[in-house]
Amino acid sequence: MPGSDYPDTFIAGFPGETEEQFQTLLDFIRIADLDRVGCFAYSPVEGATANELDGALPDEVDRRARFMELAEELSAERMKRKVGKTLKVLVDELSNEGGVGRTAADAPEIDGVVYIEPAKKASKRYKAGDFVSVKITSADGHDLWGKV
């Protein structure tokens, strides 16, 4: 769903899928403004009816890689829109370099993280488990950087 904080997942390379249909999917993710997308390459599953369908794509046709390349590009654009905003972040861990946390939209080890600068003032110090307000200062395709 557009603007949703939850990932949308697609399957590419289903038996009989044409290049034109795949291009329609790529066009859709360009205009749908989905925050997070993922893609699995179709693969046969024991006992699945789809195994009997004509038009299985050869292994060298990697539509998933093409999908994910576009998804990365679109994600970087969306992440840059967060620069300058203040987000509520749950601190997961600390190090000498600062903290690492996540927003309500991030699943650990799946989505990007928020890297938090070390707090210089005692009044702004935080620990693992704290929710902190982080002003986002930069972004890449998946991760954000900011300060409390």
Side-chain angles (χ1 to χ4, degrees):
M1 121 173 53
S4 169
D5 287 336
Y6 302 99
D8 292 287
T9 306
F10 300 88
I11 296 175
F14 196 81
E17 177 185 275
T18 65
E19 179 63 27
E20 182 181 358
Q21 290 168 329
F22 181 66
Q23 284 301 319
T24 299
L25 173 61
L26 296 182
D27 291 343
F28 171 76
I29 69 167
R30 280 185 189 96
I31 63 172
D33 200 28
L34 303 170
D35 283 335
R36 300 171 190 276
V37 296
C39 184
F40 294 95
Y42 172 80
S43 60
V45 176
E46 187 177 331
T49 305
N51 297 342
E52 307 305 318
L53 295 174
D54 291 331
L57 296 176
D59 290 340
E60 61 271 7
V61 176
D62 190 354
R63 289 189 174 154
R64 180 191 179 278
R66 289 171 49 204
F67 180 102
M68 293 308 294
E69 183 178 320
L70 176 60
E72 173 83 15
E73 190 179 302
L74 297 172
S75 177
E77 290 173 17
R78 280 188 300 283
M79 295 298 275
K80 286 179 184 167
R81 289 186 219 152
K82 296 180 183 196
V83 174
K85 294 185 178 181
T86 300
L87 303 176
K88 184 177 180 181
V89 175
L90 172 62
V91 178
D92 285 324
E93 58 186 77
L94 298 173
S95 72
N96 291 335
E97 290 82 40
V100 177
R102 56 193 152 109
T103 69
D106 302 320
E109 299 178 12
I110 297 173
D111 298 315
V113 296
V114 180
Y115 294 101
I116 310 164
E117 290 181 13
K120 293 182 171 74
K121 292 183 178 181
S123 64
K124 295 198 177 210
R125 292 215 173 101
Y126 51 85
K127 62 186 182 308
D130 285 350
F131 283 98
V132 294
S133 293
V134 177
K135 182 161 185 169
I136 303 304
T137 56
S138 63
D140 67 12
H142 300 285
D143 299 322
L144 301 169
W145 284 261
K147 57 186 175 183
V148 174

